[in-house]
Amino acid sequence: MTIERSGRAARPERAAGLLLHVTSLPGPWGIGEIGPHARRWLRALSAMRQRYWQFLPLGPTGYGDSPYQSLSTFAAHALLISFDDLRRDGWLTAGDLQGFPITDATRVDFGAILPARRARLQAAADRFSAASAARQRGFAAFRRRQADWLPDYALFMALKTEHGGRAWTDWPAPLAQREPDALDAARRRLDREIRREEILQFLFDRQWAALRRTAARLGIRLIGDLPIFVAHDSADVWARRDLFHVDDRGHPTVVAGVPPDYFSTTGQRWGNPLYRWEAHAAEGYRWWIARVRRALAWADWLRLDHFRGLQDYWQIPASEPTAERGRWVAGPRDALLAALRNALGGRLPILAEDLGIITDEVRALRDRFGLPGMEVLQFLFGELAERPDRLERLRENSVVYTGTHDNDTARGWFEASAASAEGEVARARRAAEALLGRDPAKAPARMVELAWRSPARLAIAPLQDVLALGSEARMNTPGTAQGNWQWRFAWPQLTAAAKTRLARLTRAAGRAPPAG
């Protein structure tokens, strides 16, 4: 998709892409990385005539391993650094990699690989730190460019390790309250650990920049993901408490969520601290501008999660155990988007995640800035009984998905819905059968074809749906704390037949890149 310099959205190119998080890539080191297998994935996308790769947030994860609850909105997850590329560049040796615990190649066992990978990343950072100035070329410049967030993040991570991973509000008060003398002493005490964290961020950035160059050569654009809220236990809140609704001890006073609805009688209490939007406005949204610029160093476009929170957001007192006793509060609305557009030189490469109960005001905000919205086929089937032309009338300026990271796979959803004899799920199932048939093995391919042949300018499917995988390949089940974010694919699953089939569909649907 393209953006005019005026800031108005140009007519997006008709294209297609696949959704796959980095952690789901194959490879021998326990988790997907940004090295050889990521480059092979880009070549596979090109062979399938895809023009977009979408992934989930790249930040360092904390408890629960969710990329949507990151320890920093500016930092990258060092766990994704490629061991193979570190060895090629001399920062790891064959000896460093001996004895790496072998884990199930189809799942990410975070508990097993975290300490094993961390030890090897520290070895690489120490080797880099001891290298000559010539071999460290670029590191000092990186530190200067990232000076707004990198020192605080590196200190935060070093302190978090020192305190056994506890949340920053449980640290000794002088550190939690960021008393200057306590921070100075910590910097001296943890100098080596701080430098390691800075080096790992540099190494990630260097590897990712190389990956982006490969993508550009292949004509692949990258879509990142930007959660609207940040985690409370993060370097962001610890370093800039003035920008969040927290009390004198750093605890949230109000938190984010969504109100009760058809799916949940008590709503969803996410627990993220809410922004002091007046403080952001007073500094010209400088923190948000820096945040978006940092994310755009990794991607061409950003999916802004929970876009409706820019218009109005559900504010829940932190003392409430559920989301029932919240209220709607006005968000920054046009002011933030205008500030971002101006700072980015008239560009606003944002996809608005506008799912759920969306008001006319939210749609109007989206449309005033020409932002593409989202459509999800699994949700749309339920509307077809009353609006049979719903699929044919999708907005051109939108991105249509077969499903997202929060959905079951297309096959899993199709199989599970067969158990419903009545109600909304049953109605959606009947509408799906009319379009997809009754064979669960064939339904995913037909759903991908529906998305690809739709009027939406961009169509995206999770790789699981291209491979017709069942619920065992689901990435995340909202409301559950265990077993998420673990799925990985293996190269034999992506057969030549599957690649040829998607390439042919992409060409037939008018979404393939121009020949030559």
Side-chain angles (χ1 to χ4, degrees):
M1 286 182 287
T2 57
I3 288 288
E4 293 175 346
R5 296 292 293 178
S6 66
R8 294 184 60 201
R11 178 180 173 85
E13 61 191 357
R14 187 167 172 81
L18 297 184
L19 169 62
L20 180 78
H21 194 35
V22 175
T23 59
S24 296
L25 288 165
W29 307 114
I31 192 171
E33 302 176 325
I34 59 174
H37 291 274
R39 295 189 287 273
R40 181 177 174 182
W41 168 245
L42 289 172
R43 293 193 296 272
L45 284 172
S46 179
M48 292 183 285
R49 313 304 289 160
Q50 303 305 292
R51 285 195 266 181
Y52 285 88
W53 173 21
Q54 182 171 341
F55 42 83
L56 307 185
L58 296 175
T61 58
Y63 177 78
D65 309 308
S66 171
Y68 292 90
Q69 292 289 338
S70 176
L71 298 172
S72 169
T73 192
F74 290 89
H77 203 334
L79 210 64
L80 306 180
I81 293 173
S82 166
F83 280 6
D84 292 300
D85 287 357
L86 288 178
R87 183 179 177 185
R88 177 201 64 195
D89 295 338
W91 307 125
L92 284 179
T93 68
D96 292 327
L97 296 176
Q98 287 180 353
F100 189 85
I102 303 300
T103 58
D104 182 356
T106 66
R107 312 292 292 181
V108 180
D109 185 347
F110 286 98
I113 67 167
L114 271 170
R117 288 188 66 89
R118 189 70 187 169
R120 288 155 177 85
L121 289 170
Q122 288 176 347
D126 290 345
R127 194 167 282 119
F128 180 94
S129 186
S132 66
R135 293 220 64 200
Q136 293 188 35
R137 186 175 294 114
F139 177 53
F142 171 79
R143 295 180 72 205
R144 289 193 296 271
R145 289 195 306 272
Q146 312 302 334
D148 284 349
W149 65 270
L150 183 59
D152 283 319
Y153 169 74
L155 177 58
F156 173 86
M157 292 299 289
L159 285 167
K160 193 169 183 64
T161 300
E162 183 181 50
H163 291 92
R166 294 197 300 274
W168 63 268
T169 46
D170 294 332
W171 298 349
L175 293 172
Q177 302 296 325
R178 293 179 58 84
E179 294 180 7
D181 288 347
L183 295 187
D184 287 342
R187 292 186 188 102
R188 291 191 296 271
R189 183 174 70 252
L190 301 172
D191 177 70
R192 183 185 184 190
E193 291 78 8
I194 290 169
R195 185 170 177 83
R196 280 173 171 170
E197 296 294 343
E198 293 178 338
I199 289 170
L200 291 177
Q201 289 302 304
F202 171 70
L203 293 174
F204 177 95
D205 259 39
R206 189 160 66 178
Q207 288 188 1
W208 189 268
L211 189 65
R212 283 200 75 175
R213 289 193 294 271
T214 300
R217 286 196 300 270
L218 293 169
I220 305 293
R221 295 192 177 189
L222 308 181
I223 301 177
D225 201 320
L226 193 70
I228 187 172
F229 300 117
V230 301
H232 172 247
D233 187 22
S234 65
D236 312 297
V237 181
W238 176 67
R240 292 299 309 271
R241 286 170 47 178
D242 56 308
L243 298 179
F244 300 88
H245 283 287
V246 295
D247 62 22
D248 290 342
R249 294 185 302 155
H251 295 287
T253 56
V254 288
V255 296
V258 290
D261 56 20
Y262 174 84
F263 300 101
S264 173
T265 57
T266 60
Q268 297 179 43
R269 184 189 183 280
W270 298 333
N272 305 76
L274 291 170
Y275 297 109
R276 295 185 186 272
W277 284 116
E278 69 282 1
H280 287 270
E283 66 171 31
Y285 298 101
R286 183 171 61 85
W287 182 88
W288 262 91
I289 291 168
R291 183 188 187 203
V292 170
R293 279 180 171 152
R294 177 66 176 153
L296 288 173
W298 299 331
D300 301 288
W301 281 77
L302 300 175
R303 170 189 176 271
L304 180 57
D305 195 44
H306 196 59
F307 175 79
R308 74 106 59 233
L310 296 188
Q311 175 69 27
D312 302 292
Y313 56 90
W314 190 246
Q315 178 177 286
I316 308 163
S319 58
E320 292 292 330
T322 73
E324 295 171 273
R325 296 175 182 257
R327 66 187 182 97
W328 289 110
V329 177
R333 300 179 177 177
D334 293 63
L336 173 59
L337 292 174
L340 290 172
R341 184 177 60 190
N342 292 339
L344 296 174
R347 299 175 61 251
L348 200 56
I350 288 175
L351 311 178
E353 188 274 287
D354 54 352
L355 304 175
I357 300 174
I358 301 300
T359 65
D360 290 341
E361 291 78 12
V362 176
R363 296 186 189 94
L365 176 64
R366 176 198 67 196
D367 292 346
R368 280 197 297 276
F369 288 86
L371 306 182
M374 287 179 57
E375 302 278 7
V376 178
L377 291 187
Q378 287 191 32
F379 300 150
L380 292 182
F381 287 126
E383 302 179 31
L384 292 177
E386 292 162 3
R387 298 177 60 190
D389 63 344
R390 180 69 171 87
L391 290 177
E392 290 76 21
R393 296 180 67 83
L394 290 182
R395 295 169 64 249
E396 271 199 353
N397 193 27
S398 65
V399 186
V400 61
Y401 294 80
T402 55
T404 73
H405 64 278
D406 281 335
N407 293 103
D408 201 345
T409 66
R411 180 168 182 164
W413 172 81
F414 194 77
E415 291 174 334
S417 64
S420 299
E422 57 185 22
E424 185 172 336
V425 174
R427 288 193 296 273
R429 166 73 182 205
R430 288 193 292 271
E433 284 183 355
L435 291 167
L436 309 176
R438 295 189 175 186
D439 186 347
K442 296 180 179 178
R446 291 174 177 168
M447 195 181 294
V448 171
E449 183 173 0
L450 279 181
W452 261 235
R453 294 190 182 279
S454 76
R457 302 303 298 176
L458 180 55
I460 291 181
L463 177 62
Q464 293 95 313
D465 292 351
V466 172
L467 302 180
L469 300 178
S471 297
E472 76 283 353
R474 183 169 185 165
M475 193 65 171
N476 180 50
T477 302
T480 64
Q482 303 296 324
N484 297 315
W485 320 111
Q486 296 178 0
W487 177 75
R488 302 176 73 194
F489 87 94
W491 286 117
Q493 292 177 295
L494 189 56
T495 63
K499 290 191 284 188
T500 298
R501 188 163 51 244
L502 186 60
R504 286 174 177 169
L505 171 61
T506 304
R507 285 193 295 267
R511 297 186 182 276

